Amino acid sequence: MAPDETAVIMSLVDGLRSPHTPLRRFLDRELSAGPKPLRDNYRAQHRADHVLLPPPGVGTEAGTVGTAIDQRLRLAFTAAAPVDDASLIGIDLSGGIGGRGAGLRMRAAGNELAVRLAETVDRLDLGNRNQPIDHGQDEEEGLARMLIAAAWYQVLARSPIGFAFTPMAKAALEEPDAFTLTRLLELPHRDLVADVTNQLHTAAHSPLDVLRARTKPEDCTGGPTFAGAQTTADLVVDGLLLDFKSARRPLSEMSQRTAWQLTGYLLLDATDQYRIDTVGLYLTRSATLTSWPVDDFLALLGACRRDLTELRGVFGKLRAGCRGQADARYFATDEEAERVRQLLERLAPVAGPGCCPVCTQPLPEATRRPRKYCTAWCRDRDKVLHRRGLMPGGLHPPPPAPRKQRLDLPDDAELVSLALRTPR
């Protein structure tokens, strides 16, 4: 890895939020078919008679439930890491929050939580294939409460602003002296606990259970990490990269962001550490598992211009050329923005003579006049890609200018209105 690449750790999530980042511009161009073919194939595979909806008390804590069920399912495959790294980071960070000792109380309770969770996972032997995915109801409810609490600590590691609105932060700041592990485990609403356990019981009678039965714990990696990237996937099971989704509308889950995120995981595994040969999604509310061999997955996205090894190599050049900032939306100077544009242009795939300019595959023989595109789909995609500046000779839309710095108000300034102005 180049020294410059390690200077800044790239965030896959942040890099996919804006179409202006080098990461998004790279993927939008390389995945020339867009997400629609993959989405159509996903919907054709998704067969579910019932979708488990969250109880009324879940409300805005749906993300917390999703984090908790993800970790519980990972532990069913391998218990090597009973407490995920993000929760441990959040526990450590909590010590510096608030006054009146609230932060120290949260950190102390978090450390006790980590110990109890590890002991419980070990005692229940969750990865044992001779036992079902789910255990007794009392045991699962206790686990759910611990995993929900751990998920709140994860919020602090990922979004300190959002952490202030969690039930844990509110309780600790309101009564610091009364905040203990016992108090922490009382905080999850019964509907949150029920939602986690219901999704787990559903998984016990799903294709996920079949997958678990035919694998060994040592062949599984929960929360796989990637060098130089601040991101983790959910699970790798004997070559299958699996992402868990707890969406209440499963058919809408294969969005562009999901497709690009799965591709990002593939490309970040530059040394083929996890030997990924299949990519899949498990929908926890409909208990369905959809998967694609890597070659089929990339072909559906239009990445047939390069094989996976070449694509990983070019992606590595992008990250190194961006000096670890492939997820940056803005660059400080016009020179830096131009350098990144030229880098993307140099890395663009080039169609050879007699090949389609969109997918670079050989053109079929024409019976009348020579063909420029192999299919009508590529012809239409060429217009879209040119308009976005993602094809050679296409437009070069300028990158967005950095946000202006906020001006400091003078001491004698008076705030007269906070009214929101909207266009008519």
Side-chain angles (χ1 to χ4, degrees), residues 224-281:
T225 58
F226 306 95
Q230 188 182 8
T231 188
T232 60
D234 280 328
L235 185 68
V236 173
V237 184
D238 195 19
L240 166 62
L241 172 67
L242 196 57
D243 213 33
F244 299 132
K245 299 293 182 182
S246 58
R248 65 182 70 191
R249 296 182 180 86
L251 285 180
S252 302
E253 187 51 44
M254 184 50 79
S255 62
Q256 183 190 64
R257 181 175 293 186
T258 298
W260 272 217
Q261 186 173 7
L262 290 171
T263 307
Y265 293 147
L266 275 176
L267 301 186
L268 286 169
D269 188 18
T271 60
D272 202 23
Q273 175 184 356
Y274 300 110
R275 301 184 180 276
I276 300 168
D277 54 30
T278 310
V279 176
L281 287 180

Side-chain angles (χ1 to χ4, degrees), residues 17 21 28 32 70 98 128 153 158 209 211 217 222 230 240 249 270 284 325 342 389:
R17 284 198 179 112
T21 65
D28 287 352
S32 60
D70 288 356
N128 189 342
Y153 283 105
R158 292 168 176 158
D209 186 47
L211 176 65
Q230 188 182 8
L240 166 62
R249 296 182 180 86
T284 63
Q325 298 185 47
Q342 292 180 8

Side-chain angles (χ1 to χ4, degrees), residues 302-316:
C304 48
R305 294 178 286 186
R306 315 182 200 260
D307 62 22
L308 180 57
T309 301
E310 183 182 359
L311 195 55
R312 281 171 169 166
V314 175
F315 184 59

Side-chain angles (χ1 to χ4, degrees), residues 125-147:
D125 198 11
L126 298 183
N128 189 342
R129 281 8 182 215
N130 294 321
Q131 300 184 52
I133 285 181
D134 54 347
H135 290 247
Q137 186 64 20
D138 289 345
E139 293 170 328
E140 290 299 345
E141 287 182 358
L143 264 174
R145 288 186 175 277
M146 286 188 275
L147 293 173

Side-chain angles (χ1 to χ4, degrees), residues 174-300:
E174 184 178 342
E175 293 185 273
D177 294 339
F179 194 81
T180 62
L181 177 59
T182 300
R183 174 63 179 142
L184 172 60
L185 296 181
E186 292 172 348
L187 291 175
H189 190 280
R190 62 179 180 275
D191 281 358
L192 300 183
V193 176
D195 202 14
V196 173
T197 57
N198 289 343
Q199 291 179 71
L200 180 69
H201 294 324
T202 301
H205 306 283
S206 75
L208 197 69
D209 186 47
V210 178
L211 176 65
R212 177 177 180 265
R214 63 178 176 82
T215 60
K216 300 177 180 178
E218 55 266 28
D219 297 327
C220 306
T221 303
T225 58
F226 306 95
Q230 188 182 8
T231 188
T232 60
D234 280 328
L235 185 68
V236 173
V237 184
D238 195 19
L240 166 62
L241 172 67
L242 196 57
D243 213 33
F244 299 132
K245 299 293 182 182
S246 58
R248 65 182 70 191
R249 296 182 180 86
L251 285 180
S252 302
E253 187 51 44
M254 184 50 79
S255 62
Q256 183 190 64
R257 181 175 293 186
T258 298
W260 272 217
Q261 186 173 7
L262 290 171
T263 307
Y265 293 147
L266 275 176
L267 301 186
L268 286 169
D269 188 18
T271 60
D272 202 23
Q273 175 184 356
Y274 300 110
R275 301 184 180 276
I276 300 168
D277 54 30
T278 310
V279 176
L281 287 180
Y282 174 71
L283 284 300
T284 63
R285 295 192 180 279
S286 59
T288 56
L289 192 154
T290 55
S291 63
W292 304 265
V294 165
D295 289 343
D296 293 350
F297 175 79
L298 293 175
L300 284 167

